[in-house]
Amino acid sequence: MANQRKVGLKIEIDGEKEYKQAISELNKGNQVLASELRKVSEQYKGNEDSIEALNARGDVLRRQLQQQEDKVKTLRAALQNAASQYGEADKRTQEWQVQLNNAETQEIKLRRALDETNKEIEQQGSDTQEAGQKMATLGDQVSGLADKFGIRLPDSIKGALDHVDGFSTGTVAAMGAAAAGIGAVKLAIDGVRAGIEAAK
């Protein structure tokens, strides 16, 4: 009977020790990921809203969440083990319960942070797509502008303009306004010249 008690006690201690060891390893993994997240924040400082920064942050948060989910599962198992071995009112069981509550709270925070980051990534993608739709090719816009003045651009020029980057619709609209002003001045000058010729 004494031997059975010793064997049972050894299993209890080893079980407790294994859970503590597993939690310790998970905590070290969480520390590594937390340092990685700080590194990402520093790396993209001043450019936190860029798609690259958001993707890097999202990647670390996903791994942190997976690690935290593992920790929560391990703590639940440790709590059940302690409750069956010592009873729910035992100090050791209650300590496991506190750790589990804290781990679940952290899991909720990580899930929320990841959801917010994913929403920002989706918004960035949506904004980029919208900007792309608003931006016509430079060749199309200049060609349209030329048509207003009765000028037909050759396809070769239009094609060359299509490969020019960095012009937004607003830029071309401003160019169009300036060109329209120049065109109006030219028409006025042509009119004056025609009047002078007629007077001669």
Side-chain angles (χ1 to χ4, degrees):
M1 194 73 174
N3 285 340
Q4 286 181 352
R5 173 140 179 81
K6 283 181 182 177
V7 169
L9 184 62
K10 188 174 188 317
I11 290 170
E12 286 177 23
I13 292 170
D14 285 351
E16 187 92 2
K17 186 179 177 182
E18 286 170 8
Y19 284 122
K20 285 181 178 177
Q21 180 64 33
I23 294 300
S24 176
E25 289 173 8
L26 286 164
N27 285 339
K28 285 175 185 173
N30 282 336
Q31 288 172 0
V32 170
L33 289 170
S35 69
E36 194 173 329
L37 189 60
R38 287 193 296 273
K39 179 184 171 184
V40 166
S41 297
E42 194 61 34
Q43 187 176 354
Y44 292 99
K45 199 167 188 177
N47 200 21
E48 297 89 348
D49 295 332
S50 69
I51 195 72
E52 294 84 3
L54 291 170
N55 280 327
R57 177 179 165 79
D59 175 59
V60 178
L61 285 172
R62 269 187 293 279
R63 286 184 283 137
Q64 277 188 311
L65 182 57
Q66 288 170 356
Q67 185 93 343
Q68 195 65 22
E69 286 171 348
D70 289 343
K71 183 176 178 179
V72 167
K73 285 176 188 173
T74 305
L75 284 167
R76 279 189 187 139
L79 176 63
Q80 288 173 359
N81 177 66
S84 65
Q85 296 292 338
Y86 315 122
E88 292 184 5
D90 190 86
K91 181 184 175 183
R92 289 164 290 192
T93 304
Q94 290 175 354
E95 285 174 356
W96 284 116
Q97 182 66 65
V98 169
Q99 287 190 60
L100 176 60
N101 290 343
N102 291 337
E104 286 177 333
T105 301
Q106 183 62 20
E107 182 183 348
I108 291 166
K109 288 179 180 178
L110 284 169
R111 200 176 297 281
R112 185 182 299 122
L114 181 58
D115 287 344
E116 287 171 1
T117 302
N118 285 337
K119 283 177 186 174
E120 288 182 56
I121 291 170
E122 286 175 17
Q123 185 61 47
Q124 284 277 15
S126 176
D127 290 347
T128 302
Q129 186 177 6
E130 188 177 334
Q133 289 171 348
K134 285 182 179 177
M135 182 181 282
T137 64
L138 183 60
D140 287 338
Q141 293 184 47
V142 172
S143 179
L145 184 61
D147 286 344
K148 290 180 182 177
F149 290 98
I151 302 167
R152 170 114 172 92
L153 283 181
D155 290 339
S156 58
I157 293 176
K158 182 179 174 298
L161 288 170
D162 283 343
H163 291 88
V164 177
D165 293 329
F167 284 90
S168 66
T169 304
T171 305
V172 177
M175 289 168 55
I182 292 167
V185 170
K186 183 180 181 301
L187 287 173
I189 291 170
D190 287 348
V192 169
R193 283 184 180 158
I196 292 169
E197 290 298 321
K200 285 181 182 178

